Amino acid sequence: MSENEQAGEKTEQPTEKRLRDAREQGNIPRSRELATAAVFGAGVLALMVYAGTISSSAKAWMKLALSPEPGLRMHPQALFGHFGELLLQLLWAMWPLVLICLLASFLSPVLMGGLRWSNKSLMPDFKRLSPMAGMKRLYGPEAIAEFTKSLLRIAFVGTAAGLVVWHGTRSLRDLLNQPLEAAMVHGLGFTLKLMLATGGAMMLLAAFDAPYQRWNWMRKLKMTREELRREMKESEGSPEVKGRIRQLQQQLSSRRMMEAVPTADVVVVNPTHYAVALKYEGGKMGAPTVVALGVDETALRIREVADGNKVAIVSAPPLARALYREGQLGKEIPVRLYSAVAQVLSYVYQLRTWRGGPMPAAPSINVDEFGTGGRA
């Protein structure tokens, strides 16, 4: 298989940016089985908890609905108000069940990917009007998965309900011989048992569907190698741009160094390959500070700027190499080089005050240029 063919296959896991963009567009994993099971199960549990309250409220409502006031017959226009009152009372009787089911409807989105609002998901998608896209939805892998899930739903729910009815056949026949109130209690108990079994079957199906939907969502968001390279380039910047930025930064740093050379007290050189400019202000600095350093062409430019601004240039090859390796621009020199640099500065200060007579002798610097730390 060629590299181009491999690059076209979605073999790479989606990046955090791709997942974040998908969520912002409203593309999150959804499980209708989990949502249905959550609402249905919450409704069954609510009926178990509030059965007494709901039954008493429903009994009072039915009594009011089936025995209206006689005066309503004489005033038909008042029937609309009466119907509205009945509707409000019915809603009031059922509000615990409705509220619990409403809250349960948020459970599935929270478990699958969190609650997210996206305006993009409300925009019409004209690609879905394509006949080819419709054929793919009808006969593609998604349609096969949905058909398989429908068969499983029928099997799970049908088996659970069938088992409850099979074992409750005798109790159902006995309802015919029981008083009305007892029959209603036993009938509601059987109905509740049937609903519990159905809810359990739905939860079992949801336990399979929710992981599958998340896996399928991740599969659809997989990326090709080319998409991964393109995203990395967009997020981190192309190598050409990064190289240009690095070049500009180096130029800016070099310009700042050259501007700082005239303020230096001394430039320690190799004498040709290395150059390090040092500055020391007594009372303001704890130790001499490196204001410029470089090798080869940069070292030559430092020497030229220093010579043009009458900055002392001292040739001390081991010290120059040590300062370059261990010194950092804008930082104080290493402690181990204090003594050697002090000899150089003392020599420079003697030159500044020299007005004739014997010229100060250049110091003999003995320093281990390969000390610990520093630049390789």
Side-chain angles (χ1 to χ4, degrees), residues 44-372:
V44 173
L45 294 178
L47 285 176
M48 294 176 61
V49 175
Y50 295 100
T53 304
I54 293 177
S55 61
S56 60
S57 299
K59 182 178 179 181
W61 180 84
M62 290 185 66
K63 182 177 180 181
L64 180 64
L66 297 177
S67 57
E69 297 180 3
L72 293 175
R73 300 175 184 177
M74 305 303 295
H75 303 281
Q77 66 275 10
L79 290 175
F80 292 100
H82 179 66
F83 290 151
E85 183 180 355
L86 289 177
L87 180 60
L88 290 177
Q89 289 185 2
L90 178 62
L91 292 177
W92 179 254
M94 302 298 295
W95 77 264
L97 179 62
V98 174
L99 179 61
I100 291 176
C101 291
L102 180 63
L103 294 177
S105 65
F106 293 98
L107 180 62
S108 176
V110 170
L111 294 178
M112 294 298 294
L115 294 175
R116 293 181 180 272
W117 175 265
S118 175
N119 294 329
K120 295 182 180 179
S121 60
L122 300 178
M123 300 299 293
D125 186 5
F126 296 101
K127 293 181 181 180
R128 300 180 65 87
L129 299 178
S130 171
M132 293 301 297
M135 294 295 290
K136 289 181 179 179
R137 289 195 299 271
L138 288 176
Y139 301 102
E142 297 293 330
I144 296 175
E146 289 297 324
F147 178 72
T148 303
K149 192 166 58 174
S150 299
L151 293 179
L152 291 175
R153 186 186 304 114
I154 294 174
F156 284 20
V157 175
T159 301
L163 290 174
V164 173
V165 173
W166 175 264
H167 290 286
T169 303
R170 178 177 297 179
S171 61
L172 289 175
R173 288 199 301 263
D174 293 340
L175 294 178
L176 299 175
N177 302 321
Q178 295 178 1
L180 179 60
E181 293 186 358
M184 291 181 61
V185 172
H186 293 156
L188 289 176
F190 175 82
T191 303
L192 183 60
K193 186 184 300 184
L194 181 64
M195 294 175 67
L196 284 173
T198 304
M202 291 182 176
M203 291 300 297
L204 182 61
L205 180 60
F208 289 99
D209 183 63
Y212 166 75
Q213 293 296 340
R214 185 163 187 83
W215 171 83
N216 192 38
W217 179 69
M218 293 290 290
R219 180 185 64 83
K220 291 180 180 179
L221 292 179
K222 278 187 174 182
M223 307 171 67
T224 63
R225 294 182 180 178
E226 181 61 28
E227 289 175 337
L228 188 61
R229 294 193 192 100
R230 191 183 308 118
E231 183 175 303
M232 293 292 291
K233 184 179 293 185
E234 291 175 354
S235 60
E236 298 182 1
S238 64
E240 294 80 6
V241 174
K242 292 171 67 177
R244 179 57 178 167
I245 293 175
R246 191 180 301 111
Q247 181 182 4
L248 292 175
Q249 291 175 342
Q250 291 175 351
Q251 292 178 356
L252 181 60
S253 177
S254 178
R255 187 181 304 114
R256 289 176 178 174
M257 281 199 314
M258 297 308 162
E259 293 175 353
V261 170
T263 66
D265 294 311
V266 64
V267 175
V268 184
V269 298
N270 186 29
T272 55
H273 295 292
Y274 292 85
V276 180
L278 303 175
K279 180 179 181 180
Y280 178 67
E281 296 181 9
K284 294 182 180 180
M285 297 181 179
T289 302
V290 178
V291 296
L293 76 169
V295 294
D296 298 332
E297 293 183 3
T298 305
L300 179 60
R301 291 181 57 196
I302 291 175
R303 287 174 59 98
E304 292 175 351
V305 174
D307 193 28
N309 290 273
K310 298 180 179 181
V311 176
I313 299 176
V314 177
S315 177
L319 178 59
R321 291 191 289 266
L323 285 171
Y324 178 79
R325 288 191 179 94
E326 302 179 34
Q328 297 184 22
L329 189 64
K331 301 293 182 64
E332 295 180 354
I333 63 173
V335 176
R336 78 179 194 90
L337 300 178
Y338 278 6
S339 178
V341 172
Q343 296 180 52
V344 172
L345 290 176
S346 177
Y347 170 68
V348 171
Y349 295 153
Q350 291 178 27
L351 289 178
R352 290 180 181 176
T353 59
W354 179 67
R355 293 292 183 269
M359 188 173 183
S364 178
I365 307 297
N366 295 319
V367 65
D368 179 12
E369 63 177 282
F370 298 104
T372 58

